[in-house]
Amino acid sequence: MFASASRTWSGGLATLGMLALLSGCGSSSKNTLAPGTGPAWRVQQLGFDGSGVWGSSASNVYAVGAFGSILHNAGGGWVPQQSGTTAFLYGVWGSSATDVFAVGSQGVILHSNGGAWSAQSSGTTSWLGAVWGTSPGNVYAVGAGGTILHYDGSDWTALDSGTTADLYGVWGSSATDVYAVGHDGTLLHSTGVSWSGTVIQGRSIDNSDKTPPDLFGVGGSSPTDVYLVGEDGNILHNNGSGWNGLNTGTRQYFYAIWSNSNTDVFAVGEGGMIFHFDGSAWKRQASGTGIYLYGIWGSSATNAFAVGSSGEILHYTR
């Protein structure tokens, strides 16, 4: 079930607040690069409804999305790959070009060694919304009802998260500093042994609403440079002294964040929204689209990709 005003995950279908995800799914993989020069976001791919993007380098990028869709870009354009599933895929991450994971609805976990994709047993039928790790033997997947799975290089094992809240994002600065975020301000942290939780209070642009926001993404560049993003324009930052809400000037939802460094951070969300932080201030960038953007990843400060609904992949160069 989709909900236009909030991120609702139901019946094994992660919705991210995006009604448009169902349109154009599984359609053409034709590579279309918009003309232009200079720093800008441009449409690079039409016909693909994506939820997640990750790469090991500028010439090895994966995008995953609706109905088991997986696209791979080796530097010469986007090429579809056989996933072996029709489940919706929501997240992708790898420790290297030969160790890549994708997760999605129905507890689906896929793995690629750089070639074909194969299914792994997750031990759950709940949707999994995100995947992240530090090495081939230390990978986490999070999802419905507080699900946290850990992969040790051989098997996936369910961990006690201490919550029943849906979890939407996972990221860490190291194996001993891992965060998971989710519904109603849920924020979990692990030092690599167990998970502890808290509830984050958000803020609205007029500072009148501090109810816990759904948190959809987490990312950063170090233990003292961590960001959370979520509903109602919430971006929260922790510099090691606690969480502080930033006034973004919008109540649109942010769904994902990617940090290249503490002076180069991107956040994306609904309505084609892209914000960039240069170390001094957050500024909105022209995306050239009005679609929902659900995932972002870059290989450097001059090369980034964003994926979303309505069949578009955006590419940033400068």
Side-chain angles (χ1 to χ4, degrees):
M1 177 178 180
F2 287 93
S4 59
S6 64
R7 181 172 180 168
T8 304
W9 306 66
S10 177
L13 180 62
T15 66
L16 309 177
M18 52 177 177
L19 191 60
L21 180 64
L22 290 177
S23 64
C25 295
S27 53
S28 171
S29 61
K30 180 181 177 181
N31 186 40
T32 305
L33 180 63
T37 59
W41 289 92
R42 301 183 182 89
V43 175
Q44 192 177 38
Q45 169 74 35
L46 300 179
F48 171 78
D49 285 351
S51 297
V53 59
W54 173 88
S56 63
S57 69
S59 59
N60 187 54
V61 186
Y62 292 91
V64 301
F67 302 119
S69 297
I70 299 178
L71 298 184
H72 180 246
N73 192 329
W78 294 95
V79 178
Q81 294 189 332
Q82 294 295 320
S83 68
T85 183
T86 57
F88 277 54
L89 299 175
Y90 305 127
V92 59
W93 173 89
S95 67
S96 70
T98 57
D99 182 47
V100 187
F101 297 85
V103 300
S105 62
Q106 303 165 33
V108 166
I109 299 179
L110 304 179
H111 182 262
S112 171
N113 60 7
W117 291 86
S118 60
Q120 294 187 331
S121 176
S122 68
T124 183
T125 56
S126 298
W127 55 258
L128 299 170
V131 59
W132 175 89
T134 61
S135 70
N138 187 48
V139 186
Y140 294 92
V142 302
T147 297
I148 298 181
L149 305 180
H150 180 258
Y151 185 68
D152 62 5
S154 298
D155 301 295
W156 288 92
T157 304
L159 303 181
D160 182 6
S161 68
T163 183
T164 58
D166 292 343
L167 300 175
Y168 307 131
V170 60
W171 174 88
S173 67
S174 70
T176 57
D177 182 41
V178 186
Y179 293 91
V181 297
H183 183 59
D184 280 349
T186 297
L187 173 64
L188 306 181
H189 183 258
S190 173
T191 59
V193 178
S194 61
W195 292 83
S196 60
T198 188
V199 174
I200 291 294
Q201 302 296 318
R203 63 173 294 171
S204 59
I205 57 176
D206 59 5
N207 209 32
S208 62
D209 184 2
K210 291 182 179 293
T211 58
D214 282 354
L215 299 172
F216 301 131
V218 54
S221 64
S222 74
T224 57
D225 183 42
V226 184
Y227 289 93
L228 312 177
V229 297
E231 66 176 328
D232 291 336
N234 271 282
I235 297 180
L236 299 105
H237 182 245
N238 190 334
N239 63 3
S241 300
W243 296 99
N244 294 295
L246 308 178
N247 192 338
T248 60
T250 181
R251 296 201 74 157
Q252 290 180 294
Y253 286 26
F254 287 103
Y255 290 120
I257 190 161
W258 172 74
S259 174
N260 179 58
S261 71
N262 61 0
T263 59
D264 188 35
V265 188
F266 289 91
V268 300
E270 65 177 318
M273 181 171 61
I274 300 177
F275 273 66
H276 179 257
F277 180 67
D278 62 4
S280 298
W282 285 90
K283 297 178 182 178
R284 190 161 186 163
Q285 295 184 331
S287 67
T289 184
I291 69 170
Y292 284 76
L293 296 172
Y294 302 112
I296 183 168
W297 174 86
S299 63
S300 68
T302 60
N303 184 67
F305 297 89
V307 299
S309 63
S310 300
E312 296 183 6
I313 294 180
L314 303 183
H315 184 214
Y316 179 76
T317 56
R318 58 180 174 185

